[in-house]
Amino acid sequence: MSLSPSPRIGIIGTGAIGGFYGLMLARAGFDVHFLLRSEYAAVAERGLQLNSAVHGALTLANVQAYCNAADMPACDWLLVGAKSTSNAELAPLIAKVAAPNAKVVLLQNGLAVEEGLQPLLPESLHLLGGLCYICVHRSGPGVIEHQALGGVNLGYHSGPATEPGAQLAIAEEGAALFKAAGLDSTAMPNLAQARWQKLVWNVPYNGLSVVLNAGTTALMAHGETRALILAIMKEVIQGAAACGYAIPEVFADKLLASTDRMPDYLPSMYHDFVEKRPLELQYIYAEPLAAAEQAGVDLPRIRALQQQLAFIDARNLS
C-alpha cells in the first residue's frame, strides 16, 4: 500500500548512501527529489538501479532528478548523503532547498560533522545526525551495489527544538520514514554517544583498508591485523570514555564477530582513495583525536593511522 506523498524528501548527494535510502523511500511511496552532479544525465535517462543482496534487484525508473538546487521544490526532510569533505559548499544548497522548519539529516561518518555544518545553516532548520549501518557502494552512474545491512539511526543535534522530548520526537518522526521503507531505524537520545560507538568500527576498517589495500575479509583473516583492529577499537572506546561516553569493551568483540559474518567489504574511504577523492580524515580521525587530547588522553595507534592516511591522501590528490 502506498503511503502519503507528504512529507517531501530531498536527497542532497545521490551517491551510494543517498541513492540507496532515496530509492527505498521513493519505492515506499514518498515524494523524493534527488540532487545530482556528474551523474545527473545518466540518472535522468535511466533511473536508479539497486542490486541488493537483501532486497533483490530494484529499479526506480522515473527519478525526480535535478542538477541545480534552485530547480528543486522546498523539502520538509533533507537527507545529506554527500561526503563530509564538501559540507561547506553544500550549506547554501541545503538552505535553498529547505522548507520552513525543515529537518536536515547528515548521513555521514565521523565525530562533530554537525558542529562543522550547523553555523553555516539558517537557525530555523533542525539538524540531525544519521548513522548508517550498511555495506553499499556505487558500481557505475546511478548503479548501487548493496551487500548487507541497511539500518539507519537518527539523533537530534540542534535547531528550534530545545526540549529533550521534542528533540526525540523529531528523531522518531525521521526514524518512522525509514521504517515505512522497510528499514531498521531507531531514534537515539544521545547523538554524540552514538557517533563515538560508530567510530569503533569506522576508525580501524576505513583507514586500514586504504593503508593495507585490503577488504574486511583479508584484514580479519590475518592474526596481526585482527589484533591491530581490536587494539584500535579499544583506543576509540578509551577516547569516548575520556569524553564522558561509556562504551563497554565487549562492544569491540561484538563488532569483530559481526564483521566476521559480513561479506567481504571495502569501506567508503577505500572507494574515495581509488577514485582520487579527498579522504574524510577530519571527522573520522582529527576530531576524535582532538576531543580525546582535550580530555587528557593520547590515542597513539589512531594518531599513527591518521598520519599515514594524511600522507597517502596528499600524494593521491597531487
Side-chain angles (χ1 to χ4, degrees), residues 43-310:
V43 172
E45 179 183 352
R46 299 191 294 270
L48 285 170
Q49 179 182 337
L50 175 65
N51 301 314
S52 172
V54 179
H55 306 285
L58 303 176
T59 300
L60 184 64
N62 299 314
V63 178
Q64 298 184 102
Y66 308 82
C67 59
N68 192 330
D71 298 329
M72 292 180 70
C75 295
D76 306 297
W77 284 85
L78 289 168
L79 308 183
V80 182
K83 296 290 183 179
S84 60
T85 50
S86 61
N87 278 358
E89 59 188 275
L90 288 177
L93 305 182
I94 294 170
K96 187 172 293 185
V97 177
N101 203 41
K103 289 84 174 176
V104 180
V105 183
L106 295 188
L107 301 176
Q108 297 174 340
N109 287 324
L111 189 69
V113 286
E114 294 82 15
E115 283 84 342
L117 182 63
Q118 190 269 335
L120 307 177
L121 295 179
E123 294 181 358
S124 60
L125 301 182
H126 301 273
L127 183 59
L128 295 88
L131 298 98
C132 305
Y133 298 89
I134 187 170
C135 297
V136 67
H137 67 276
R138 285 168 50 262
S139 60
V143 182
I144 303 155
E145 308 295 332
H146 175 218
Q147 294 172 260
L149 307 174
V152 54
N153 294 340
L154 273 63
Y156 193 93
H157 179 267
S158 56
T162 56
E163 294 297 322
Q167 295 176 349
L168 187 59
I170 290 172
E172 288 174 343
E173 181 185 346
L177 300 178
F178 292 104
K179 288 178 182 176
L183 303 167
D184 291 333
S185 188
T186 302
M188 308 296 288
N190 190 323
L191 178 59
Q193 171 89 24
R195 285 212 169 274
W196 272 107
Q197 286 184 197
K198 194 161 190 291
L199 283 170
V200 178
W201 195 95
N202 275 320
V203 168
Y205 290 105
N206 271 282
L208 291 176
S209 73
V210 174
V211 171
L212 300 178
N213 189 31
T216 54
T217 298
L219 291 172
M220 295 295 285
H222 193 274
E224 294 294 335
T225 49
R226 189 184 185 95
L228 178 58
I229 289 166
L230 181 59
I232 293 172
M233 285 182 170
K234 289 182 177 179
E235 278 197 359
V236 178
I237 291 171
Q238 181 186 5
C243 296
Y245 305 105
I247 302 172
E249 283 212 2
V250 70
F251 184 67
D253 297 316
K254 289 181 178 178
L255 288 183
L256 287 178
S258 66
T259 307
D260 278 329
R261 295 190 298 269
M262 281 168 43
D264 187 32
Y265 180 59
L266 291 164
S268 60
M269 188 170 287
Y270 181 88
H271 292 283
D272 289 339
F273 167 72
V274 170
E275 297 182 28
K276 295 189 179 296
R277 295 190 294 255
L279 305 184
E280 295 183 286
L281 302 184
Q282 178 180 352
Y283 296 114
I284 297 180
Y285 295 96
E287 292 290 347
L289 283 168
E293 183 179 15
Q294 189 172 1
V297 172
D298 184 39
L299 308 175
R301 291 179 181 86
I302 297 174
R303 188 172 302 280
L305 185 54
Q306 180 210 27
Q307 290 166 333
Q308 294 171 74
L309 289 166

